[in-house]
Amino acid sequence: MFYDSVVVVSLLMLATTLSMLAGFGGRTALKDPIFTAYLFAVWFFYLAWCWSRGGMTVGMRAWHVSIENKNGQKPGWGASALRFMVSLGSAAFAGLGFLWSLGDAESRTWHDILSGTRLVRHR
């Protein structure tokens, strides 16, 4: 998650710079709902693009893990959207959705369970 956070922060900085160059300066995330939605969309598109195209993000590539659906295929945009939204809840509840994987028989998080995805380790 650390590696991906570096990529996401960089993308959000670029997105903010582009919005400022387009004349939308003075916007503040979490105070301006449209600007906040724009930044969440940038964050989502990075993750969904990586998950649906290659099954992994930059950080996942470094740790040799990927995401797949129940059929062993890369998740589609719908599953990626659901996974992204539920992962926000997983984190919001003090990380409980992530910790859930420690007790789950298949090591799934809340967002894996609800989106029908799973992490696969590659050796």
Side-chain angles (χ1 to χ4, degrees):
M1 288 172 60
F2 175 76
Y3 296 147
D4 287 324
S5 68
V6 171
V7 174
V8 169
V9 168
S10 299
L11 287 172
L12 295 179
M13 290 172 67
L14 176 62
T16 300
T17 301
L18 292 175
S19 72
M20 291 171 66
L21 292 173
F24 297 103
R27 306 287 183 187
T28 303
L30 303 179
K31 289 187 180 181
D32 181 340
I34 294 173
F35 184 63
T36 301
Y38 164 66
L39 294 178
F40 269 96
V42 169
W43 185 10
F44 163 71
F45 280 111
Y46 162 69
L47 293 174
W49 175 266
C50 291
W51 292 337
S52 65
R53 301 292 263 165
M56 61 182 79
T57 61
V58 171
M60 295 169 79
R61 187 175 306 274
W63 288 96
H64 305 286
V65 295
S66 64
I67 295 175
E68 62 182 36
N69 63 21
K70 294 174 184 176
N71 299 327
Q73 299 172 334
K74 297 172 198 98
W77 283 86
S80 294
L82 184 57
R83 187 176 207 284
F84 175 75
M85 296 305 293
V86 176
S87 71
L88 297 176
S90 292
F93 287 99
L96 186 59
F98 291 93
L99 293 173
W100 190 268
S101 68
L102 299 175
D104 186 79
E106 297 177 45
S107 299
R108 297 171 303 166
T109 60
W110 288 352
H111 40 283
D112 286 325
I113 294 167
L114 292 174
S115 67
T117 60
R118 63 180 174 209
L119 280 181
V120 178
R121 288 176 176 74
H122 303 281
R123 305 221 183 242

